[in-house]
Amino acid sequence: MSAPTYTRPPQPTRGGVDIRLPWWALALPVLAFVALLLLILNPADAHAAAEQPAISHLLERLEQLTAR
C-alpha cells in the first residue's frame, strides 16, 4: 500500500527578484570603508610612515604615478 504524495502547485513568479540580505551584509563594508578612511586621514600615521625610508619611497612613487 503506497502513501499519497502531495505536491505544491507552482507559484507564479513576480516581476523582480526578492533577495533579503542580513544586516551585516551592509554594515561590514561600511565599517571597513570608515576604518580605511580614518587610517588615510590620520596625520600621525602618515608621519610614522615617513620615518621609514622604504615606505616613504613607495609612497612617493605612488604619488608620482597618480599625479600623471
Side-chain angles (χ1 to χ4, degrees):
M1 192 183 273
S2 63
T5 58
Y6 298 101
T7 58
R8 287 190 207 167
Q11 296 178 351
T13 58
R14 295 183 207 160
V17 177
D18 186 24
I19 297 176
R20 295 188 50 110
L21 294 175
W23 63 268
W24 50 265
L26 181 64
L28 288 180
V30 168
L31 182 65
F33 176 77
V34 169
L36 290 174
L37 186 64
L38 290 175
L39 284 175
I40 290 171
L41 295 179
N42 191 356
D45 290 340
H47 178 66
E51 293 175 358
Q52 299 174 0
I55 294 176
S56 65
H57 181 68
L58 178 65
L59 292 175
E60 287 175 9
R61 289 289 293 160
L62 285 173
E63 183 180 335
Q64 291 172 356
L65 289 173
T66 55
R68 292 183 183 180

